[in-house]
Amino acid sequence: MKNLLEKVAIVTGAARGIGKSIAQALLELGAQVIIIDLNQEEIDKTVEELTKVNENIFGYVCDITSIKTVGKMVKSISKDFGSIDILINNAGITSDKLLIRMKQSDWQKVIDVNLTGTYNCTQKISRIMMKQRSGKIVNISSIIGIMGNAGQANYAASKGGIIAFTKSVAKELAPRGINVNAIAPGFIKTKMTDKLSDGVKEEYLAQIPMKKFGTPSEVADLAIFLCSKNSEYITGQTIAIDGGMV
Ligand code: NAI
């Protein structure tokens, strides 16, 4: 697949984990990739590593919860690169607690990053894509947004919100040649899931028909499909990648 040559792609939360894998896959196909994350040092490390794949990688420190910061960043990227063809809304956090113990701040910070952050980036970048009359937006949701999970009411609400957001925005942007889809990963091996106890991991494993966890590069393969011409007639969809769990 060579049809991503010279496309300009933005991947949020891409200093590590699934976002980093998606950035790498885009670079392998010749795209110019801008990775967004919170920490300059982590971004620099990832940029240095991925430069070996393709030197068209750039890093930006940006907290996606601030629409002002996102607006400034998008202005600067569009000035430097001329176009923005692909947006991967990947940055996300968890703050797991049973509802009874969940403080309003635990609720708010997860909604702010996962849902409002996705809105902020999509709102600013879709304007540019609308003018271009082309673009691909891929939102990283989660199977928890489909099936719910005890201890993750905040996370499930944010990820379910992303699915509904995806469907609505897909309808708005389809006439402008922009595809908007979501990916709902199951249990993927990253730092986010590393912090779970062995007991919790075993409980998840028991619920996965394929009896194994997924990898970031498997999620990246699906993201690439959704950014390519091969998925031109698909929009508003949420595709689960979960070893059969849902
Ligand atoms: P991770 O924790 O390894 O990486 C997330 C990245 O997002 C980090 O580099 C972090 O610094 C960045 N980030 C957090 N807040 C940010 C903000 N305000 N602005 C900019 N960047 C920010 O997580 P992982 O596992 O790679 O997850 C990526 C996405 O996939 C998340 O949206 C997550 O909810 C989703 N997901 C992950 C699953 C898994 O099993 N690992 C399963 C289902 C969904």
Side-chain angles (χ1 to χ4, degrees), residues 63-67 70 112 115-125:
D63 179 346
I64 59 159
T65 62
S66 158
I67 188 126
V70 169
D112 284 351
L115 191 53
T116 308
T118 296
Y119 155 80
N120 289 343
C121 296
T122 308
Q123 212 275 342
K124 293 293 179 192
I125 293 170

PDB file of all heavy atoms in Angstrom, residues 63-67 70 112 115-125:
ATOM      1  N   ASP A  63      -1.337  19.914  24.973  1.00  0.00           N
ATOM      2  CA  ASP A  63      -2.350  19.295  25.823  1.00  0.00           C
ATOM      3  C   ASP A  63      -3.678  19.434  25.073  1.00  0.00           C
ATOM      4  O   ASP A  63      -4.196  20.543  24.924  1.00  0.00           O
ATOM      5  CB  ASP A  63      -2.394  20.013  27.179  1.00  0.00           C
ATOM      6  CG  ASP A  63      -3.447  19.411  28.099  1.00  0.00           C
ATOM      7  OD1 ASP A  63      -4.308  18.642  27.613  1.00  0.00           O
ATOM      8  OD2 ASP A  63      -3.407  19.720  29.300  1.00  0.00           O
ATOM      9  N   ILE A  64      -4.211  18.317  24.615  1.00  0.00           N
ATOM     10  CA  ILE A  64      -5.405  18.391  23.748  1.00  0.00           C
ATOM     11  C   ILE A  64      -6.669  18.826  24.490  1.00  0.00           C
ATOM     12  O   ILE A  64      -7.694  19.054  23.868  1.00  0.00           O
ATOM     13  CB  ILE A  64      -5.665  17.050  23.015  1.00  0.00           C
ATOM     14  CG1 ILE A  64      -5.866  15.910  24.017  1.00  0.00           C
ATOM     15  CG2 ILE A  64      -4.549  16.732  22.023  1.00  0.00           C
ATOM     16  CD1 ILE A  64      -6.597  14.717  23.433  1.00  0.00           C
ATOM     17  N   THR A  65      -6.582  18.954  25.828  1.00  0.00           N
ATOM     18  CA  THR A  65      -7.775  19.395  26.558  1.00  0.00           C
ATOM     19  C   THR A  65      -8.019  20.904  26.407  1.00  0.00           C
ATOM     20  O   THR A  65      -9.089  21.394  26.732  1.00  0.00           O
ATOM     21  CB  THR A  65      -7.699  19.058  28.072  1.00  0.00           C
ATOM     22  OG1 THR A  65      -6.595  19.757  28.635  1.00  0.00           O
ATOM     23  CG2 THR A  65      -7.539  17.574  28.297  1.00  0.00           C
ATOM     24  N   SER A  66      -7.004  21.626  25.915  1.00  0.00           N
ATOM     25  CA  SER A  66      -7.164  23.080  25.758  1.00  0.00           C
ATOM     26  C   SER A  66      -7.432  23.426  24.294  1.00  0.00           C
ATOM     27  O   SER A  66      -6.555  23.278  23.440  1.00  0.00           O
ATOM     28  CB  SER A  66      -5.893  23.789  26.253  1.00  0.00           C
ATOM     29  OG  SER A  66      -5.800  25.067  25.668  1.00  0.00           O
ATOM     30  N   ILE A  67      -8.623  23.892  24.011  1.00  0.00           N
ATOM     31  CA  ILE A  67      -8.970  24.208  22.608  1.00  0.00           C
ATOM     32  C   ILE A  67      -8.094  25.348  22.079  1.00  0.00           C
ATOM     33  O   ILE A  67      -7.756  25.377  20.902  1.00  0.00           O
ATOM     34  CB  ILE A  67     -10.482  24.518  22.427  1.00  0.00           C
ATOM     35  CG1 ILE A  67     -10.824  24.642  20.932  1.00  0.00           C
ATOM     36  CG2 ILE A  67     -10.920  25.774  23.155  1.00  0.00           C
ATOM     37  CD1 ILE A  67     -11.927  23.797  20.437  1.00  0.00           C
ATOM     38  N   VAL A  70      -4.790  23.767  21.123  1.00  0.00           N
ATOM     39  CA  VAL A  70      -4.982  22.952  19.920  1.00  0.00           C
ATOM     40  C   VAL A  70      -5.117  23.877  18.695  1.00  0.00           C
ATOM     41  O   VAL A  70      -4.510  23.637  17.651  1.00  0.00           O
ATOM     42  CB  VAL A  70      -6.229  22.039  20.063  1.00  0.00           C
ATOM     43  CG1 VAL A  70      -6.598  21.384  18.729  1.00  0.00           C
ATOM     44  CG2 VAL A  70      -5.998  20.961  21.119  1.00  0.00           C
ATOM     45  N   ASP A 112     -12.413  15.063  29.909  1.00  0.00           N
ATOM     46  CA  ASP A 112     -11.675  16.166  29.281  1.00  0.00           C
ATOM     47  C   ASP A 112     -10.674  15.666  28.243  1.00  0.00           C
ATOM     48  O   ASP A 112     -10.571  16.221  27.149  1.00  0.00           O
ATOM     49  CB  ASP A 112     -10.914  16.982  30.344  1.00  0.00           C
ATOM     50  CG  ASP A 112     -11.846  17.900  31.127  1.00  0.00           C
ATOM     51  OD1 ASP A 112     -13.025  18.027  30.731  1.00  0.00           O
ATOM     52  OD2 ASP A 112     -11.396  18.477  32.140  1.00  0.00           O
ATOM     53  N   LEU A 115     -12.822  12.660  25.568  1.00  0.00           N
ATOM     54  CA  LEU A 115     -13.955  13.116  24.749  1.00  0.00           C
ATOM     55  C   LEU A 115     -13.769  14.564  24.277  1.00  0.00           C
ATOM     56  O   LEU A 115     -13.823  14.846  23.082  1.00  0.00           O
ATOM     57  CB  LEU A 115     -15.256  12.958  25.553  1.00  0.00           C
ATOM     58  CG  LEU A 115     -16.563  13.121  24.801  1.00  0.00           C
ATOM     59  CD1 LEU A 115     -16.658  12.224  23.572  1.00  0.00           C
ATOM     60  CD2 LEU A 115     -17.755  12.854  25.722  1.00  0.00           C
ATOM     61  N   THR A 116     -13.491  15.467  25.231  1.00  0.00           N
ATOM     62  CA  THR A 116     -13.331  16.879  24.833  1.00  0.00           C
ATOM     63  C   THR A 116     -12.076  17.044  23.971  1.00  0.00           C
ATOM     64  O   THR A 116     -12.078  17.825  23.014  1.00  0.00           O
ATOM     65  CB  THR A 116     -13.280  17.786  26.080  1.00  0.00           C
ATOM     66  OG1 THR A 116     -14.412  17.483  26.891  1.00  0.00           O
ATOM     67  CG2 THR A 116     -13.303  19.249  25.710  1.00  0.00           C
ATOM     68  N   GLY A 117     -11.024  16.301  24.286  1.00  0.00           N
ATOM     69  CA  GLY A 117      -9.795  16.362  23.473  1.00  0.00           C
ATOM     70  C   GLY A 117     -10.075  15.938  22.035  1.00  0.00           C
ATOM     71  O   GLY A 117      -9.581  16.540  21.075  1.00  0.00           O
ATOM     72  N   THR A 118     -10.894  14.909  21.877  1.00  0.00           N
ATOM     73  CA  THR A 118     -11.263  14.433  20.537  1.00  0.00           C
ATOM     74  C   THR A 118     -12.083  15.504  19.810  1.00  0.00           C
ATOM     75  O   THR A 118     -11.859  15.788  18.632  1.00  0.00           O
ATOM     76  CB  THR A 118     -12.063  13.106  20.658  1.00  0.00           C
ATOM     77  OG1 THR A 118     -11.185  12.131  21.219  1.00  0.00           O
ATOM     78  CG2 THR A 118     -12.569  12.616  19.314  1.00  0.00           C
ATOM     79  N   TYR A 119     -13.007  16.120  20.551  1.00  0.00           N
ATOM     80  CA  TYR A 119     -13.781  17.230  19.963  1.00  0.00           C
ATOM     81  C   TYR A 119     -12.840  18.375  19.550  1.00  0.00           C
ATOM     82  O   TYR A 119     -12.924  18.888  18.424  1.00  0.00           O
ATOM     83  CB  TYR A 119     -14.838  17.755  20.958  1.00  0.00           C
ATOM     84  CG  TYR A 119     -15.227  19.186  20.691  1.00  0.00           C
ATOM     85  CD1 TYR A 119     -16.134  19.494  19.677  1.00  0.00           C
ATOM     86  CD2 TYR A 119     -14.643  20.229  21.400  1.00  0.00           C
ATOM     87  CE1 TYR A 119     -16.450  20.814  19.389  1.00  0.00           C
ATOM     88  CE2 TYR A 119     -14.961  21.548  21.117  1.00  0.00           C
ATOM     89  CZ  TYR A 119     -15.861  21.839  20.114  1.00  0.00           C
ATOM     90  OH  TYR A 119     -16.153  23.141  19.818  1.00  0.00           O
ATOM     91  N   ASN A 120     -11.936  18.784  20.467  1.00  0.00           N
ATOM     92  CA  ASN A 120     -11.060  19.931  20.186  1.00  0.00           C
ATOM     93  C   ASN A 120     -10.262  19.733  18.890  1.00  0.00           C
ATOM     94  O   ASN A 120     -10.220  20.616  18.027  1.00  0.00           O
ATOM     95  CB  ASN A 120     -10.073  20.150  21.341  1.00  0.00           C
ATOM     96  CG  ASN A 120     -10.745  20.698  22.590  1.00  0.00           C
ATOM     97  OD1 ASN A 120     -11.867  21.213  22.537  1.00  0.00           O
ATOM     98  ND2 ASN A 120     -10.068  20.589  23.731  1.00  0.00           N
ATOM     99  N   CYS A 121      -9.630  18.572  18.771  1.00  0.00           N
ATOM    100  CA  CYS A 121      -8.774  18.325  17.591  1.00  0.00           C
ATOM    101  C   CYS A 121      -9.622  18.199  16.333  1.00  0.00           C
ATOM    102  O   CYS A 121      -9.267  18.731  15.277  1.00  0.00           O
ATOM    103  CB  CYS A 121      -7.938  17.062  17.792  1.00  0.00           C
ATOM    104  SG  CYS A 121      -6.766  17.230  19.156  1.00  0.00           S
ATOM    105  N   THR A 122     -10.769  17.509  16.446  1.00  0.00           N
ATOM    106  CA  THR A 122     -11.615  17.313  15.261  1.00  0.00           C
ATOM    107  C   THR A 122     -12.212  18.648  14.811  1.00  0.00           C
ATOM    108  O   THR A 122     -12.276  18.951  13.615  1.00  0.00           O
ATOM    109  CB  THR A 122     -12.748  16.306  15.584  1.00  0.00           C
ATOM    110  OG1 THR A 122     -12.155  15.132  16.137  1.00  0.00           O
ATOM    111  CG2 THR A 122     -13.527  15.927  14.331  1.00  0.00           C
ATOM    112  N   GLN A 123     -12.630  19.462  15.772  1.00  0.00           N
ATOM    113  CA  GLN A 123     -13.251  20.753  15.441  1.00  0.00           C
ATOM    114  C   GLN A 123     -12.271  21.631  14.660  1.00  0.00           C
ATOM    115  O   GLN A 123     -12.624  22.207  13.640  1.00  0.00           O
ATOM    116  CB  GLN A 123     -13.682  21.440  16.747  1.00  0.00           C
ATOM    117  CG  GLN A 123     -14.926  22.299  16.606  1.00  0.00           C
ATOM    118  CD  GLN A 123     -14.608  23.706  16.122  1.00  0.00           C
ATOM    119  OE1 GLN A 123     -13.462  24.155  16.204  1.00  0.00           O
ATOM    120  NE2 GLN A 123     -15.604  24.393  15.590  1.00  0.00           N
ATOM    121  N   LYS A 124     -11.043  21.710  15.152  1.00  0.00           N
ATOM    122  CA  LYS A 124     -10.059  22.594  14.504  1.00  0.00           C
ATOM    123  C   LYS A 124      -9.563  22.020  13.180  1.00  0.00           C
ATOM    124  O   LYS A 124      -9.376  22.759  12.209  1.00  0.00           O
ATOM    125  CB  LYS A 124      -8.859  22.827  15.447  1.00  0.00           C
ATOM    126  CG  LYS A 124      -9.207  23.621  16.695  1.00  0.00           C
ATOM    127  CD  LYS A 124      -9.572  25.051  16.353  1.00  0.00           C
ATOM    128  CE  LYS A 124      -9.956  25.859  17.561  1.00  0.00           C
ATOM    129  NZ  LYS A 124     -10.576  27.147  17.215  1.00  0.00           N
ATOM    130  N   ILE A 125      -9.323  20.707  13.134  1.00  0.00           N
ATOM    131  CA  ILE A 125      -8.694  20.126  11.940  1.00  0.00           C
ATOM    132  C   ILE A 125      -9.721  19.872  10.833  1.00  0.00           C
ATOM    133  O   ILE A 125      -9.409  19.982   9.644  1.00  0.00           O
ATOM    134  CB  ILE A 125      -7.886  18.862  12.336  1.00  0.00           C
ATOM    135  CG1 ILE A 125      -6.698  19.300  13.195  1.00  0.00           C
ATOM    136  CG2 ILE A 125      -7.416  18.086  11.105  1.00  0.00           C
ATOM    137  CD1 ILE A 125      -5.935  18.215  13.869  1.00  0.00           C
TER     138      ILE A 125
END
